[in-house]
Amino acid sequence: VQLQASGGGLVQRGGSLRLSCAASGRTFSTYIMGWFRRAPGKEREFVASINWSGSSTYYSDSVKGRFTITRDNAKNTVYLQMNSLEPEDTAVYCCARSAGYVFPPSVYDYWGQGTLVTVSS
């Protein structure tokens, strides 16, 4: 299994970015997917998660109303649309999967490589 995030870059305050995370394998739709981030010098932080079909989503308070998580099971891809970006959103963003049966999950069992998002002021 591989999870490859992409779409990061440098953006000005108030700007937008769309991250993608492509997964290998045939069982993508059986996993809950999540996005996490780690800012310089800080602990990893949960950002958002989405259930198997995409019908339910869950967000951290810090991004609620600004970020949107979606998935396309036909393309084995989960997305994170980030709007109204702030310098505090600067971090390495990575996706993860959970094999749990409860949403939102408490445990993620596989993590992908991250993509760097830098928001300038």
Side-chain angles (χ1 to χ4, degrees):
V1 174
Q2 286 188 328
L3 297 175
Q4 183 63 55
S6 62
L10 175 63
V11 64
Q12 289 187 335
R13 173 184 240 144
S16 299
L17 279 176
R18 186 196 195 202
L19 305 184
S20 300
C21 173
S24 64
R26 300 181 178 181
T27 58
F28 178 74
S29 63
T30 66
Y31 292 98
I32 294 168
M33 298 300 296
W35 282 98
F36 291 77
R37 67 186 181 186
R38 177 170 286 173
K42 294 188 176 181
E43 297 287 323
R44 184 171 60 201
E45 174 190 19
F46 167 79
V47 175
S49 59
I50 188 166
N51 73 344
W52 310 267
S53 66
S55 61
S56 292
T57 56
Y58 184 69
Y59 298 92
S60 69
D61 288 343
S62 61
V63 307
K64 195 175 298 181
R66 300 188 298 124
F67 291 10
T68 303
I69 186 172
T70 58
R71 68 189 295 164
D72 185 337
N73 287 340
K75 295 182 178 180
N76 282 14
T77 303
V78 60
Y79 304 95
L80 186 68
Q81 177 67 43
M82 306 186 296
N83 299 328
S84 302
L85 283 162
E86 296 287 340
E88 303 82 71
D89 296 316
T90 294
V92 174
Y93 287 72
C94 67
C95 59
R97 77 171 196 194
S98 171
Y101 296 97
V102 176
F103 183 81
S106 57
V107 176
Y108 287 80
D109 58 359
Y110 194 84
W111 301 81
Q113 296 294 321
T115 185
L116 176 62
V117 173
T118 303
V119 184
S120 66
S121 56

